[in-house]
Amino acid sequence: MASDTNPDLNNPDYVDALLDLFNPGSGGDPPLLAGRKSAIRSIEGGLRPLKRGNAPGRDIVLTGPRGNGKTVLLREFEQRAQALGIDVIVLNPTKIRNEATLAQRLLWDNPDAARLLARVKPGRAAVDLGGLFKVEWTSLSEEERRSRSLHHLEALLAIRCRNNALLVTLDEAHTLDTLVGQRLLNLSQELRSAEKAPFLLVLAGTPALHEHLNSMSATFWDRGEVLGIGLLSRDAARQALAVPLQDKGVGLDDEALSRAVEDSQCYPYFIQLWGKALCESLVDAGAAHVNDAVVEAAKPSVEQSRKRYYAGRYEEMQNQSLLPAAASIGRVFDGSVAGGVGTETLEQALLDSGAALAADAAKEQLNQLAKLGYIWRMPGSVKWEPGIPSLMTYVRNEQQGQPRPC
């Protein structure tokens, strides 16, 4: 790919731009959103009716193990909506611990919404809301606003959406308070179905989100558009590394780049780790070409960051007494993972290894490991696959020599 940038490693601005090119971390934006064409199409499809002032057919759910880029896709949703002139509200589960704060965040806590409510005139609103607007909204006390906005939340939000379409996003939705979640899910259904309002709710969370949503609404998961966000394809992973470097004028040796892609296992977070390490290695070497020497120099930094990441995941499983089960499942996937592995096979492996002493215990261990993203299933699939294949290798290696459960 051609580049308009000439590498100048004596130029501090160029060096800073190169070192800041990749952003590994919690939801850090990658320089290139590669391999997510299906999700992007769903984003465009969800925003299309909002742009026309119509209600979308269904809500959207992004789910997958941590580190696969769900937060990045949420931000893509938000940025595209704002570019179309659609209002965006970003919710955080830690800040909406009850229904009153949910109403506050959706309505008068937002300056644009507060101004809208202040100028709403009697008419349909008076019919819908039973005389709420006989008094000026701005004259109400904070407590009165809380009470009235909670009581009339659906109708007030419908008025707001008819004034301008609204997208609401919620990350880490698997941690959402159950009662708040029920109100939010019901609110979305009411606005889209009964009110025909241009309102779209987009949730993102780990594989634990499925069970959590079912505890709030038995039908939400089935009636929403569920997008599984997992590992990238090899071509997409290669593109995610190569294109940003080439755009900075960096040359690439195909075999050297392939080594980095192979080591990343196409896991988006590890791809960003590799990108960051390669840029640092280029600067340290004063080089403008990724070759075997640059990859070899970058590898220790990647391995160090990856071990820290693995240690945190290992501790999670240790705290839940899941390490023997995790090691047993890792041995299954160490064979063939083509097409995934069925539930019965994994449960039997847990029983045979002694990690689980009964069928019920095996089912529960699988459920807990799925919630942690150690294993997961793409929506619509009955086959399990590793969340991060190399994490299984790490767990097995750490567990070698440990006594088996009695």
Side-chain angles (χ1 to χ4, degrees):
M1 179 178 292
S3 170
D4 296 329
T5 303
N6 295 315
D8 181 3
L9 291 166
N10 293 316
N11 181 341
D13 291 338
Y14 176 83
V15 170
D16 287 345
L18 189 61
L19 292 175
D20 293 339
L21 185 58
F22 292 88
N23 299 290
S26 180
D29 286 333
L32 177 69
L33 186 56
R36 300 303 187 195
K37 289 183 179 180
S38 177
I40 295 299
R41 280 197 296 269
S42 293
I43 290 174
E44 294 170 343
L47 296 178
R48 202 173 296 125
L50 293 188
K51 181 182 177 182
R52 298 194 299 265
N54 298 328
R58 50 187 176 174
D59 298 303
I60 297 177
V61 179
L62 309 175
T63 184
R66 289 170 287 181
N68 279 306
K70 299 182 296 297
T71 300
V72 170
L73 283 168
L74 269 190
R75 276 201 289 268
E76 185 74 12
F77 246 118
E78 294 156 7
Q79 292 166 6
R80 287 176 179 245
Q82 290 167 341
L84 293 171
I86 296 168
D87 285 345
V88 176
I89 293 179
V90 179
L91 297 181
N92 185 325
T94 63
K95 296 181 180 179
I96 48 171
R97 289 300 186 185
N98 54 58
E99 295 179 70
T101 54
L102 173 65
Q104 173 184 337
R105 186 67 188 91
L106 292 175
L107 292 174
W108 57 272
D109 194 42
N110 181 282
D112 292 335
R115 284 192 290 269
L116 169 64
L117 293 175
R119 66 175 184 265
V120 168
K121 303 300 182 184
R124 180 173 175 204
V127 175
D128 289 349
L129 305 181
L132 172 62
F133 292 101
K134 289 181 180 179
V135 296
E136 287 290 332
W137 185 263
T138 52
S139 69
L140 297 177
S141 69
E142 181 174 319
E143 187 57 37
E144 287 173 321
R145 289 186 187 187
R146 287 182 186 275
S147 175
R148 296 187 186 211
S149 61
L150 181 58
H151 185 67
H152 299 290
L153 180 56
E154 286 83 356
L156 287 169
L157 205 50
I159 292 171
R160 178 187 175 176
C161 292
R162 292 190 188 99
N163 183 75
N164 202 55
L166 177 62
L167 167 71
V168 174
T169 65
L170 178 72
D171 203 0
E172 301 294 321
H174 54 281
T175 66
L176 183 61
D177 176 84
T178 300
L179 292 178
V180 174
Q182 287 174 335
R183 185 65 187 271
L184 182 59
L185 302 190
N186 291 335
L187 172 67
S188 179
Q189 174 73 3
E190 176 75 14
L191 287 170
R192 289 185 301 100
S193 301
E195 298 286 351
K196 305 299 181 185
F199 174 90
L200 177 62
L201 175 64
V202 182
L203 306 179
T206 68
L209 180 58
H210 187 182
E211 182 177 326
H212 194 49
L213 288 179
N214 283 343
S215 72
M216 303 175 193
S217 168
T219 62
F220 184 86
W221 184 269
D222 294 330
R223 70 172 185 253
E225 181 176 6
V226 182
L227 308 178
I229 311 300
L231 301 178
L232 296 176
S233 69
R234 191 175 300 276
D235 286 344
R238 186 181 184 88
Q239 189 180 39
L241 271 178
V243 172
L245 289 169
Q246 289 173 324
D247 285 347
K248 290 296 180 186
V250 175
L252 300 171
D253 179 85
D254 283 343
E255 290 187 5
L257 182 65
S258 294
R259 286 179 56 200
V261 171
E262 185 71 22
D263 188 75
S264 76
Q265 295 198 317
C266 302
Y267 181 51
Y269 174 59
F270 291 166
I271 293 168
Q272 297 304 302
L273 286 179
W274 262 109
K276 184 75 170 178
L278 287 173
C279 289
E280 291 172 348
S281 181
L282 288 168
V283 170
D284 290 344
H289 192 94
V290 173
N291 53 25
D292 283 339
V294 169
V295 170
E296 194 63 29
K299 192 171 183 178
S301 174
V302 175
E303 290 179 341
Q304 184 179 25
S305 296
R306 191 161 48 199
K307 285 181 179 178
R308 286 197 299 267
Y309 183 76
Y310 286 158
R313 303 294 295 275
Y314 187 90
E315 186 176 1
E316 283 182 327
M317 290 182 279
Q318 186 176 45
N319 290 340
Q320 297 185 40
S321 302
L322 290 171
L323 287 176
S328 296
I329 287 175
R331 285 190 286 271
V332 174
F333 282 103
D334 194 36
S336 173
V337 298
V341 177
T343 298
E344 291 184 0
T345 299
L346 294 183
E347 289 178 353
Q348 191 60 52
L350 294 175
L351 293 170
D352 291 345
S353 68
L357 301 181
D360 288 346
K363 292 180 185 297
E364 180 58 24
Q365 287 175 348
L366 282 186
N367 183 47
Q368 294 302 316
L369 288 171
K371 286 183 178 180
L372 293 176
Y374 184 74
I375 54 173
W376 85 299
R377 294 185 288 199
M378 286 288 289
S381 173
V382 297
K383 299 292 187 179
W384 296 97
E385 56 187 90
I388 314 172
S390 54
L391 176 59
M392 293 185 169
T393 302
Y394 176 89
V395 170
R396 292 199 312 275
N397 290 341
E398 291 295 317
Q399 283 294 102
Q400 282 181 354
Q402 297 291 329
R404 288 195 171 193
C406 299

